[in-house]
Amino acid sequence: MAPTLPRAILLIAACRISAALRTASSGLLQQSPKGTGVSYRQTLHNYQNVQYYADFTIGGQEVSGIFDTGSFELLVRSSRCSQCVHPTPPYDHLKSSTYEENGTMTKHVFGSGPCVSMMGYDSVSVGKTLKAEHQAFWEIVDHRISVLDTAKFAAIVGIGPNFAYGNSEKTLLMSYGISEFSICLQKPSGSEGYLTWGKTETDVKDFVTARVIGEHHWVTRLQNVTFTQPKSHLAQIPCGTTGCAAIIDSGTSLIAAPGVALMQLSEQMEKIKEDCSNLHELPTLHFVIDGHDFELPPRAYVMRVTGATLEANDIWDVLFFKPKIRKVDMCMPAFMQIDMTSQFGPVWILGMPFFRYYHTTFDRDSRSMRFALAGPDCQPRPFRTNKTESFLALGGAIENTPMDMDIDALVPPTLSGMMDYPFAKVSLSSEGR
């Protein structure tokens, strides 16, 4: 089967669960993006440090959604799904005066189960300034994905760089005329994040740029991922010889990587004490994105587990480093495993922890991403500084405090049915076609 939504894939990387937000009062108007007259800073509410969500309006109905750079379609849980559990209000086409039926049915097969959707059109608004009439979207009319039965979101809003595979319908970014947007998450536990539709108003000129090598994903080149000195023993360092591909994904709770790479990193990693008392002694994670050196401090890859259902193995099984004794209030490495390869090498997913430290701008016109350090209130800060010192200066005592995460809310990145898991050969671009 070849579903039309290949990377509605990481959509269920819906480690992302959403609950309601008030867009009208939570955004800030700034300068103008292409085609809208103003830029809009939308607040992303934080659920347990593993999901960020906001509200939008479809057919006059306010719906909770995750805004996902890892996918490109708009999918909405629908009232047509009579068998579905609806923990938040679903979209109801009967309540919309602007709904237009298409009727195309598609089955998406995810690692966690199948999902059947029906295509339609309706008006879709974000805030007071962004509105698209006759926007293509998919109603979820049936699914066997257990996480959706308890999820606080009713929609996945894909904000990938291009059309879906085999689809000529405009994405939401295209309909809004948005060629550039930015995402940043604040560092303190429980803090909000921000999605800026349009240009971010800043005086910071010191940033680095990475080329987007994917046709359908915000993907770039990744090299030399290590806790040690990046220039030694490249053969023993993940992505050290042939390189890897990194998807910059706002919808995934943690960093996800191939099992082989995580095993290599585990040999470099000091033992994390259960009470997190040695967090300040742990090494910095180094890596190179498209030729530029990046770092993440221990707080980005260590979590303190909360809210766990101890009997449920599948909750713990989303993690690569599985503790012998599973209990709450325990500190441990925060990595997911995803074994997936592409023409650019093994695939990594840089999820929410990355956005807490790097203000990231996505540019569809130049097919690039720009990175600055994330400052207080998610304001961009100069990139070319001593990052370890900058993280401590910008984060203060927070950097020595573990990030609490409810692992009941974690869902791993999952692969669509068009990929042969594991070690699928995935096309991330149109190069060579």
Side-chain angles (χ1 to χ4, degrees):
M1 183 189 109
T4 59
L5 291 186
R7 166 58 169 110
I9 299 174
L10 295 146
L11 104 58
I12 298 278
C15 294
R16 347 140 153 188
I17 287 189
S18 314
L21 177 229
R22 281 69 43 193
T23 50
S25 61
S26 62
L28 296 176
L29 299 181
Q30 299 177 347
Q31 70 176 72
S32 52
K34 175 181 175 183
T36 63
V38 291
S39 120
Y40 179 63
R41 195 189 198 206
Q42 184 178 25
T43 299
L44 303 176
H45 286 204
N46 179 348
Y47 178 75
Q48 298 295 327
N49 299 317
V50 292
Q51 303 130 12
Y52 291 80
Y53 60 88
D55 278 357
F56 68 101
T57 301
I58 176 168
Q61 302 163 60
E62 191 173 83
V63 174
S64 301
I66 53 171
F67 290 78
D68 178 23
T69 60
S71 60
F72 22 72
E73 301 285 356
L74 171 57
L75 287 93
V76 184
R77 183 161 35 79
S78 172
S79 61
R80 296 181 195 264
C81 185
S82 57
Q83 302 85 9
C84 291
V85 176
H86 294 296
T88 61
Y91 166 81
D92 187 345
H93 72 285
L94 295 177
K95 296 180 180 179
S96 172
S97 61
T98 50
Y99 171 75
E100 295 180 42
E101 186 169 334
N102 174 284
T104 300
M105 302 292 293
T106 300
K107 183 177 182 180
H108 314 295
V109 181
F110 301 99
S112 52
C115 172
V116 178
S117 302
M118 184 171 72
M119 188 178 179
Y121 302 91
D122 212 331
S123 61
V124 179
S125 301
V126 173
K128 295 181 178 180
T129 59
L130 300 171
K131 185 172 183 178
E133 304 289 353
H134 197 71
Q135 175 64 45
F137 75 105
W138 297 87
E139 291 182 73
I140 298 174
V141 298
D142 192 17
H143 71 82
R144 296 294 182 271
I145 302 171
S146 59
V147 66
L148 294 182
D149 292 336
T150 57
K152 294 189 176 74
F153 65 84
I156 295 92
V157 185
I159 46 178
N162 211 332
F163 296 101
Y165 295 82
N167 192 349
S168 60
E169 297 286 353
K170 284 187 177 181
T171 67
L172 200 59
L173 289 177
M174 294 173 181
S175 296
Y176 287 161
I178 296 291
S179 60
E180 179 179 318
F181 65 94
S182 302
I183 294 178
C184 176
L185 306 178
Q186 296 187 90
K187 294 182 183 69
S189 181
S191 295
E192 297 169 331
Y194 299 98
L195 164 59
T196 300
W197 300 81
K199 294 183 181 297
T200 297
E201 198 167 355
T202 176
D203 295 328
V204 173
K205 305 298 182 185
D206 183 6
F207 54 82
V208 297
T209 300
R211 295 162 295 170
V212 173
I213 56 177
E215 184 69 24
H216 305 282
H217 300 80
W218 294 107
V219 61
T220 190
R221 298 185 186 278
L222 177 70
Q223 291 180 304
N224 300 355
V225 185
T226 179
F227 287 116
T228 61
Q229 292 301 316
K231 299 189 184 301
S232 61
H233 308 295
L234 289 183
Q236 303 302 317
I237 292 177
C239 311
T241 52
T242 58
C244 298
I247 298 174
I248 313 301
D249 185 356
S250 62
T252 298
S253 298
L254 305 177
I255 295 172
V260 172
L262 292 175
M263 186 62 70
Q264 289 176 309
L265 288 179
S266 70
E267 296 175 357
Q268 305 172 11
M269 187 187 302
E270 300 179 35
K271 180 178 175 56
I272 299 171
K273 295 182 179 180
E274 286 190 7
D275 61 359
C276 261
S277 59
N278 67 333
L279 186 65
H280 64 289
E281 300 172 353
L282 297 176
T284 297
L285 182 64
H286 300 267
F287 51 100
V288 177
I289 292 179
D290 203 19
H292 304 288
D293 292 330
F294 283 71
E295 298 176 0
L296 285 175
R299 193 169 188 261
Y301 66 83
V302 174
M303 67 178 176
R304 182 163 55 194
V305 173
T306 65
T309 304
L310 303 183
E311 302 78 23
N313 287 335
D314 57 340
I315 293 173
W316 292 90
D317 285 344
V318 306
L319 305 172
F320 178 77
F321 296 94
K322 300 176 178 61
K324 293 180 180 179
I325 301 175
R326 302 176 178 185
K327 59 184 181 181
V328 297
D329 297 325
M330 174 178 63
C331 288
M332 59 183 293
F335 291 96
M336 295 176 177
Q337 180 175 347
I338 179 169
D339 290 303
M340 170 178 165
T341 191
S342 71
Q343 67 268 46
F344 306 114
V347 175
W348 288 59
I349 297 171
L350 300 182
M352 296 174 191
F354 182 84
F355 291 94
R356 295 190 183 105
Y357 291 90
Y358 294 98
H359 181 283
T360 304
T361 298
F362 301 84
D363 192 327
R364 293 179 55 242
D365 284 349
S366 66
R367 297 186 58 77
S368 66
M369 295 176 283
R370 297 191 297 276
F371 306 102
L373 294 187
D377 194 37
C378 272
Q379 293 302 317
R381 292 290 184 266
F383 182 90
R384 292 179 181 84
T385 56
N386 183 311
K387 295 183 185 59
T388 301
E389 293 180 2
S390 294
F391 291 152
L392 291 173
L394 293 172
I398 291 174
E399 291 305 323
N400 292 324
T401 304
M403 181 69 80
D404 291 335
M405 295 187 182
D406 184 347
I407 70 164
D408 284 345
L410 290 179
V411 181
T414 58
L415 305 179
S416 80
M418 73 178 295
M419 299 180 183
D420 296 321
Y421 180 87
F423 298 108
K425 194 70 175 179
V426 181
S427 176
L428 292 177
S429 86
S430 59
E431 293 179 11
R433 290 182 186 174

